[in-house]
Amino acid sequence: MMKNAFALSLLASSLLFGCSEPVSNVKIDKQAEVDKFADSAKIEFELVSNVPSDKCDSARTDGNCFHGRLHITPAADYAADDLHIYFSQINPVQSVASEHFTIEHINGDLHRLQTKADFNGLQAGQTYTIDYWVDFWTLSETDALPNYIAHLDGTEARVIVSTQTQIDAETGLERYPFVKSFADETTQFKRTKDDATQWATAERLYQRNEKLSASDHQLATALIPTPSQVIVSTGSIDLQQGIKLNVTGVDKTQLAMAIKRLQQLGISESDSGVELNLTLDASLAIANEGYQLKSSEQGIAIAASSIGGLFYGVQSIAGLVDVTKLTMPHVNIDDAPHYGFRGMMVDVARNFHSKQFVLDLIEQMAAYKLNKLHLHLGDDEGWRLEINDLPELTDIGSKRCFDLTEQRCLLPQLGAGVDPTSVVNGYYSREDYIEILQYADQHQIQVIPSLDMPGHSRSSIVAMKARYKRLMAEGDEQAAKQYLLHDENDTTVYSSIQYYNDNTINACMESSYAFVAKVMDEVKALHAEAGQPLTRYHIGADETAGAWVESPICQAFLANNDEGITKAEQLGGYFVERVAKILSERGIETAGWSDGMSHTRFEKMPSFAQANSWGLTYWQGHQVAHKLANNGWDLVVSSPDVTYFDFPYEADPKEHGYYWASRHSNTEKLFQFMPDNLPVHAEFWLDRQDLPYQTDDTLQKDEQGKVVSGPLKAGVRFAGIQGQLWSENTRNDDLAEYKIFPRLFALAERAWHSPEWAVAYDYNGATFDQNSGRFSAEKRQQRDQLWANFADTIANKELAKLELADIFYRLPTPGAKVVDGQLHMNSPYPGLTMQYRYNEQWQQWTAPVAIDSDVEVRLLSVNGDRAGRKLLVKVPKG
């Protein structure tokens, strides 16, 4: 019996040409089949529906699941007797309905689509459809991760070309040509039947923009972040001839990077330039990092009691400058930061980002007076820092490719493909990291490294397994076990939040702590060599799965230890305590995410600790933040629904980003944030389904009288605020910048400046909802007016500076509608060029224009070199 149509065609050829070799003896070149399929097959992902059906497993995810569909159309006959396609799917597949294929969850997001036993090959031009059901929902087209991989045993794996992303020539953004566009607001856009989120269409954006206030400030005197006090005088200074620098009390080189930014904007040092007098005097009654700036006809003078203050004073000159005129106003500024900790976290572990990206980010952080760079260097999908004597960490742990044994690289999670040299892979050499540290130091920025553990540690676990195998083969058992991170006899079945079953360092093995100590010693040495001592390290410690239960080593430890640890669920906190001790012994302060830090015993921790609170505002996230701050720890506000820059700016399936906490988190929302008063946001924000919610900040006790939650103790304040860019689906540097900017402007504003409209925190505790009335109409009007001024400053002053620095910022999507046959447009950022495409040509919009068919609309960058994402505007029928 013929195996498939391709074999039948071979038989016909042999009969026609008199070939005597039997078809059964014809050998299929499997590599050629894989190559041909990968190069020519078309694969399309289609979201059928997010609405749960009887196909959903009611025992999982509360019965929520989505219906996906893959269409596979080969361009040529496929003759091999089986086919494996590996692909990344964020959530696990529950079930499959297909005549020819099955889907198996491998680990993490990696799945394998495989032909069934009775597979008879694929015919050219025929479309094969696979229906399947997956946990939860998919709300964004960017959820469909790229680079599906074709593979057969004994062949080299190949990326299926049709599943690769492309770069859009107009926007510079990634396109997903293999994803069928979402179209239905009910079945494809909504999370559940109660979801009230609205698609950010051009028409809805128009309505929203119509409600925005017009700016009422003087753009020339606008400065981001807003100073504490500013007095404006008449007149301005012309800086076209540059500046003549006079420095007192400080080495000029310590301010070199602030002066460099002035040069980047077109203001150079010159003997004929405007006098710029910089004075550092520790005896001045000026707050740390604060400064006094005065500009007048006599020139510019800046005084500060710290290097940081003087540095920020120079940055304020750059902030005041209009780059089109190179002028700045006459002002008197007395300024100091609201928070001492003003941070930005960048995840370079999930997908790597280049050294140049980090250096560019450092420049912009400093320009807007942010001072902490939390560099997330290690996670499940990658280890990004070279460590002496542990080459496997980067030889294997820094790369994802196709090696199911993981002896050359990690599994191809997150749509990494097969190329170990692609941009999603890589690491910082010791020299790279030292350069980053020194560059940060020159910009008044402290680098806080993080190599997440004990969860989120798969890259290091796999690397140390490979090290163990290598050294055992060399006959050195003692060295092989020195830094081992897993118990090979642990049979615990668990799944992390990202669906890994093997990503947690064993908390009961002394070799785990030997590994931590070794890494800390090496990182500390790098900081010392760079001249920026390692004074704080971020453990991570978040989302530790239920590991260790069946580990014989942990069972023995739980049965016999003098640490007071008797239950497996205590081991996560114990690990953090042990690592904190290792850090303290080296003079390093401990930082970690709030969930892991909450599991520790306070008396076992150092007197100082930093906790990043990532509780959601609408899920009572303030309660953990208050508890940890009341412990006396430095609490850094990191609320995901407003400070996570990996989330979409707007609720649109074509917007990049994850959305587990927020469907839309734009710059205005972050501007509205009152980080000193987390529960108050229930008065005007909505939850992740755009539904109202209530927060309770009153004292709560359990039946035994133990305090469960409650308000901050009198006088307790948070240490600061941090923005976060996680990089699961951020695969290049441009997209990383797109997600960070312009949101970073609002982050800097909230970190540096506490506005008058902010509602003071009530230390007595209170409940909040949309009727509690603490945020008065007067305060709302004041906030909205200042946002209008802020947006005007971004659009007409700061974006041009980002362009001079070659920063790939996001352009907003415009609002537009058709009324009586005329196209109306507006923009959340006034002054940006608006365009519409009519009769195939892009044209500038300045006033209502007559149209008689659907059009596309977009905004242009300040320099006109790049367009924002376009939206379709439909002409009303009838």
Side-chain angles (χ1 to χ4, degrees), residues 230-437:
V230 57
I231 299 172
V232 179
S233 305
T234 57
S236 62
I237 296 176
D238 187 340
L239 294 170
Q240 295 186 66
Q241 298 302 313
I243 54 172
K244 183 178 181 181
L245 195 59
N246 302 305
V247 179
T248 302
V250 62
D251 187 337
K252 176 183 172 181
T253 60
Q254 294 178 281
L255 303 170
M257 292 303 169
I259 302 302
K260 177 185 174 183
R261 182 162 187 249
L262 292 178
Q263 294 171 347
Q264 186 182 69
L265 301 181
I267 303 168
S268 300
E269 288 190 67
S270 169
D271 289 340
S272 60
V274 173
E275 294 278 345
L276 174 56
N277 297 307
L278 306 177
T279 302
L280 178 65
D281 185 347
S283 67
L284 294 174
I286 300 174
N288 184 43
E289 297 187 294
Y291 64 92
Q292 294 173 344
L293 182 154
K294 181 176 182 180
S295 60
S296 65
E297 294 176 353
Q298 286 71 44
I300 308 169
I302 300 174
S305 62
S306 65
I307 293 289
L310 211 56
F311 183 92
Y312 294 137
V314 178
Q315 294 287 14
S316 287
I317 297 175
L320 288 165
V321 163
D322 181 335
V323 296
T324 63
K325 303 174 184 177
L326 293 185
T327 60
M328 68 171 288
H330 290 169
V331 292
N332 276 8
I333 293 176
D334 196 340
D335 199 9
H338 178 60
Y339 286 130
F341 190 109
R342 306 180 300 281
M344 183 68 209
M345 189 286 295
V346 177
D347 167 19
V348 299
R350 266 59 176 275
N351 283 305
F352 186 62
H353 297 298
S354 69
K355 179 181 68 176
Q356 189 59 53
F357 163 81
V358 177
L359 299 180
D360 291 344
L361 177 61
I362 286 170
E363 286 185 4
Q364 297 307 315
M365 288 176 61
Y368 299 97
K369 304 182 176 71
L370 298 175
N371 66 349
K372 309 289 184 184
L373 174 59
H374 175 176
L375 204 52
H376 188 74
L377 294 160
D379 212 295
D380 294 322
E381 298 84 5
W383 180 285
R384 308 301 182 187
L385 182 60
E386 181 183 17
I387 299 295
N388 272 346
D389 306 320
L390 299 178
E392 285 85 359
L393 286 172
T394 46
D395 288 349
I396 296 171
S398 72
K399 297 177 289 189
R400 300 196 301 275
C401 66
F402 192 82
D403 175 12
L404 299 182
T405 68
E406 297 189 290
Q407 295 303 297
R408 295 186 296 112
C409 59
L410 303 176
L411 294 174
Q413 306 284 349
L414 300 176
V418 302
D419 182 3
T421 67
S422 73
V423 295
V424 304
N425 296 314
Y427 66 92
Y428 305 121
S429 67
R430 291 169 52 82
E431 292 75 19
D432 289 336
Y433 189 64
I434 288 170
E435 182 180 347
I436 288 170
L437 293 174

Side-chain angles (χ1 to χ4, degrees), residues 166-175 808 858 865-867:
Q166 299 172 358
I167 299 298
D168 184 272
E170 294 180 347
T171 66
L173 293 171
E174 272 191 324
R175 291 179 56 248
F808 191 91
R858 69 183 188 184
D865 289 347
R866 184 165 55 90

Side-chain angles (χ1 to χ4, degrees), residues 683-749:
E683 291 201 354
F684 56 94
W685 281 355
L686 303 170
D687 68 11
R688 68 177 182 174
Q689 296 193 113
D690 276 4
L691 299 171
Y693 66 94
Q694 183 183 73
T695 52
D696 188 345
D697 193 33
T698 60
L699 185 65
Q700 302 290 317
K701 297 182 179 181
D702 61 18
E703 295 179 355
Q704 287 73 41
K706 182 181 177 181
V707 173
V708 175
S709 65
L712 290 169
K713 297 176 181 177
V716 171
R717 293 182 65 240
F718 297 144
I721 182 174
Q722 180 173 281
Q724 282 70 222
L725 177 71
W726 299 102
S727 290
E728 287 96 329
N729 66 352
T730 305
R731 284 179 292 277
N732 61 58
D733 292 352
D734 280 350
L735 188 55
E737 290 183 345
Y738 178 92
K739 292 181 176 182
I740 293 172
F741 299 95
R743 282 188 276 213
L744 183 132
F745 295 138
L747 174 68
E749 180 74 3

Side-chain angles (χ1 to χ4, degrees), residues 622 625-630 635 675-678 697 710-718 761-765:
H622 65 280
H626 292 176
K627 177 182 178 181
L628 296 178
N630 286 339
L635 194 289
D676 287 332
N677 192 344
L678 297 176
D697 193 33
L712 290 169
K713 297 176 181 177
V716 171
R717 293 182 65 240
F718 297 144
Y761 179 73
D762 185 351
Y763 285 93
N764 295 312

Side-chain angles (χ1 to χ4, degrees), residues 577 600-606:
E577 294 164 9
T600 63
R601 296 165 293 183
F602 182 64
E603 68 277 8
K604 297 285 187 178
M605 290 291 288

